[in-house]
Amino acid sequence: MTHAMTVITKYIFLNALHCHTKGWFLCNEIGVTPPTPAELIRMRQGQEIHRLARDRFPAGVFVGDLIAEKAINRTQKLLEDQSARVLFEPYFEHGRCVTRADSLTRKDDGWSVEEIKSSLGQNPAHLDDLAYTTMVMQGSGLSIREITLTLVNKEYRHGSSEVPLLWSVDVTRDVLSRAATFEELRPDIELALTAQACPEATLIWACRGCEFFAEQCVGHSMTNPIFDVPRIGAKKFRTLLQHDVTEIAGIPVDFELSGHQRRVVDSVQSGEMWVSDKLAKAIGTWEWPLLYLDFETVSTCLPLYDGMGPYNQIPTQYSLHIRRRPTDIPEHREYLADSAEDCRREFAELLLADLGTDGNIVVYSSFEKTILTRLQEWFEDLAEPLERLKERLVDLQLIIKNHVWHPEFRGSTSIKRTLPVLVPDMDYSDLEISNGDHASAAFYNMATGRIAPDEQEMTRAALLLYCERDTMAMVKLHDALIQHGTLPEQNAG
């Protein structure tokens, strides 16, 4: 793509609002990674929601995925055709900016535009999406009189017609105001994104989580940027920048931080691991046998099973390692649902049987407790025994957060960060499925027939291996904590 032909899409423009450098990378397709399996599923779900939304208007005309010039020409002809009352995905351009509206409906004095989102509630990003689309359409000469945001109804249940899938809200005033602001910013954004040279980057709050930060941008030369301080917040971040502090190494000793944040900063600045003198006591209160538990779930906009609502988190598998004593070889148990059926009841009953009534249940984060609560809501007759399971839970991640820090955690106590530091001989690199999003995507693909029957056994095996690795990782992390808890307190803050 030459610079003379460069066009700016909605995604690029909205990212450029916060950072021209990121917009330039996206515009020039530098360092852009392909979507993950989970992202592909979210895209397919969004496409299906759009298809269902179009079904409300059988007489609507679909412009289609034509190349830009043909799509613009077809859109213009349909705008001039008074018999075309509803248009789906018409294509517009304004300056270097291009967009497709989800739907346009002809009114006596102009047009009504609708944006369809596979979300349960409105958020500012939705208004930005609509504002960009409105800006481009207005710039191309269209008169916009009404703007509607259509969302997914959280009360909808698969297999029932009592509550419609979609609901709408009028956002005309807010979007028109935002679109006017975007139009004021558009010339500068177009100039920056179509320039031959990348705009100069500086550290800003938007760098946090940016996919270009570490490799292509200002983070390339940084070891520990200040937003690696847990829960640093935009206000403290900006205060540090005002004092020319961009890395944790430069944070002053008198800068106001929480106790946890200060321990993290001290650990990074010293280059040493910090271990609380209360670690041994914290894990020493756990009652044996210990049962190390991990869940995997699937959550989709369009429910997989009857009676389920949008984004209901359905438990699909668990892994359980059991140790009677610290020196025991762990016993392993596992469960993986049949993707063709709603197996929540079976999941709950087998889980209760496998966990028994003795010992603490070790989890990593509060996720398992949340899922147990949902199971209680679904199956009232199991609520009491499930409550007793919740009372036995202990959170290994919380132990690490409160009692251990290593500079290589890089601001996070997720298991993918702590495991390679505390248990360097164990990781997930040999697994076909190596993270929770990928596991959820694999189960969804089986449930919807996107994985051929002869390949499903291999997928099931990969899912079981991944979940088993998660609970064995907890066993190994616990052992590492036991060892560190017997050592003198290190680098106490």
Side-chain angles (χ1 to χ4, degrees):
M1 177 183 291
T2 65
H3 288 281
M5 298 171 59
T6 299
V7 295
I8 299 171
T9 65
K10 175 167 62 178
Y11 179 73
I12 293 171
F13 184 93
L14 295 180
N15 275 280
L17 284 174
H18 306 290
C19 177
H20 286 185
T21 307
K22 182 176 183 179
W24 191 90
F25 284 136
L26 291 169
C27 210
N28 290 274
E29 299 182 351
I30 295 175
V32 177
T33 57
T36 66
E39 289 169 340
L40 286 173
I41 285 172
R42 286 191 284 271
M43 291 165 58
R44 284 200 292 266
Q45 289 269 298
Q47 291 165 358
E48 181 63 12
I49 292 293
H50 280 71
R51 185 192 67 77
L52 292 170
R54 292 196 296 269
D55 287 347
R56 297 171 300 163
F57 307 100
V61 182
F62 186 62
V63 172
D65 295 328
L66 302 172
I67 61 173
E69 185 177 354
K70 290 184 177 180
I72 290 171
N73 290 337
R74 177 160 168 73
T75 296
Q76 189 57 44
K77 290 179 181 178
L78 289 169
L79 293 175
E80 296 168 359
D81 181 358
Q82 293 296 316
S83 67
R85 307 300 298 177
V86 180
L87 311 184
F88 299 130
E89 297 193 17
Y91 195 96
F92 299 90
E93 65 176 348
H94 173 43
R96 296 294 186 97
C97 295
V98 298
T99 194
R100 288 183 185 273
D102 288 342
S103 76
L104 278 178
T105 300
R106 193 182 298 271
K107 300 291 183 181
D108 292 338
D109 58 347
W111 292 86
S112 172
V113 60
E114 179 186 38
E115 180 90 4
I116 300 152
K117 293 294 183 184
S118 54
S119 303
L120 299 179
Q122 178 182 327
N123 65 52
H126 296 153
L127 299 183
D128 281 356
D129 278 11
L130 267 165
Y132 172 85
T133 299
T134 299
M135 174 196 74
V136 176
M137 290 190 298
Q138 287 180 320
S140 69
L142 210 64
S143 177
I144 304 298
R145 299 301 183 192
E146 182 183 55
I147 303 170
T148 301
L149 176 64
T150 295
L151 302 163
V152 173
N153 194 332
K154 66 180 180 180
E155 303 301 328
Y156 168 81
R157 292 296 178 266
H158 185 62
S160 171
S161 58
E162 291 184 9
V163 177
L165 175 65
L166 302 174
W167 67 285
S168 299
V169 57
D170 188 302
V171 291
T172 307
R173 172 188 274 184
D174 290 342
V175 170
L176 287 177
S177 174
R178 189 77 169 134
T181 300
F182 284 5
E183 178 59 23
E184 293 175 1
L185 299 172
R186 180 183 59 81
D188 286 343
I189 289 177
E190 288 185 350
L191 186 65
L193 302 196
T194 58
Q196 292 286 337
C198 179
E200 183 178 356
T202 58
L203 187 69
I204 58 176
W205 184 245
C207 294
R208 185 172 174 263
C210 176
E211 65 268 37
F212 304 109
F213 174 75
E215 298 297 329
Q216 281 91 19
C217 206
V218 290
H220 184 69
S221 59
M222 292 185 184
T223 304
N224 297 103
I226 53 178
F227 48 65
D228 276 359
V229 177
R231 299 182 180 274
I232 184 67
K235 183 178 179 180
K236 287 183 179 180
F237 177 86
R238 287 192 292 267
T239 301
L240 287 168
L241 285 186
Q242 289 169 2
H243 291 85
D244 295 323
V245 177
T246 60
E247 297 196 56
I248 292 177
I251 295 178
V253 294
D254 59 349
F255 186 76
E256 184 179 353
L257 295 169
S258 70
H260 176 58
Q261 288 173 333
R262 177 53 62 184
R263 287 194 295 269
V264 171
V265 169
D266 288 348
S267 173
V268 172
Q269 290 181 343
S270 69
E272 298 178 9
M273 181 176 177
W274 171 83
V275 178
S276 160
D277 59 358
K278 298 179 177 63
L279 172 61
K281 181 179 180 180
I283 58 178
T285 59
W286 293 355
E287 295 183 6
W288 296 81
L290 290 180
L291 305 97
Y292 304 81
L293 178 66
D294 179 67
F295 291 166
E296 298 301 329
T297 63
V298 64
S299 172
T300 54
C301 178
L302 291 171
L304 292 173
Y305 309 112
D306 284 349
M308 293 289 93
Y311 299 109
N312 281 172
Q313 208 139 29
I314 301 171
T316 56
Q317 68 178 115
Y318 64 78
S319 173
L320 176 65
H321 275 95
I322 304 172
R323 288 200 295 185
R324 307 292 169 185
R325 293 178 300 276
T327 56
D328 284 356
I329 296 174
E331 171 193 347
H332 184 241
R333 300 178 188 177
E334 61 189 0
Y335 170 81
L336 175 58
D338 180 349
S339 61
E341 301 177 15
D342 178 3
C343 295
R344 289 172 298 147
R345 177 86 192 192
E346 181 179 72
F347 177 101
E349 290 177 343
L350 291 176
L351 180 70
L352 286 165
D354 278 341
L355 288 172
T357 58
D358 298 327
N360 276 127
I361 302 166
V362 184
V363 295
Y364 207 89
S365 85
S366 60
F367 180 69
E368 280 69 23
K369 184 176 183 178
T370 299
I371 299 304
L372 289 172
T373 299
R374 294 308 307 271
L375 287 169
Q376 289 177 295
E377 295 168 358
W378 287 325
F379 308 112
E380 292 183 5
D381 60 314
L382 300 179
E384 189 172 326
L386 288 169
E387 185 65 27
R388 288 196 290 271
L389 292 187
K390 288 163 61 176
E391 293 168 357
R392 295 162 58 197
L393 296 176
V394 290
D395 187 347
L396 186 60
Q397 184 180 31
L398 194 59
I399 292 291
I400 293 176
K401 177 183 176 182
N402 290 337
H403 299 284
V404 178
W405 194 268
H406 193 286
E408 293 303 314
F409 287 176
R410 299 295 173 89
S412 171
T413 54
S414 74
I415 201 165
K416 298 300 191 297
R417 289 284 182 88
T418 60
L419 185 67
V421 175
L422 299 177
V423 189
D425 60 343
M426 187 178 189
D427 60 26
Y428 293 72
S429 61
D430 61 315
L431 299 182
E432 180 182 346
I433 293 174
S434 57
N435 63 65
D437 274 355
H438 193 176
S440 180
F443 190 90
Y444 170 85
N445 285 331
M446 287 196 301
T448 54
R450 287 181 169 83
I451 295 178
D454 60 339
E455 297 177 354
Q456 292 217 8
E457 281 308 310
M458 289 189 298
T459 302
R460 289 181 65 85
L463 283 167
L464 290 170
L465 281 174
Y466 166 67
C467 201
E468 179 182 4
R469 184 67 55 88
D470 266 347
T471 49
M472 181 53 74
M474 285 192 277
V475 172
K476 297 293 186 181
L477 280 170
H478 183 205
D479 285 345
L481 293 181
I482 291 174
Q483 180 182 359
H484 283 294
T486 63
L487 302 174
E489 185 174 10
Q490 304 165 45
N491 192 31

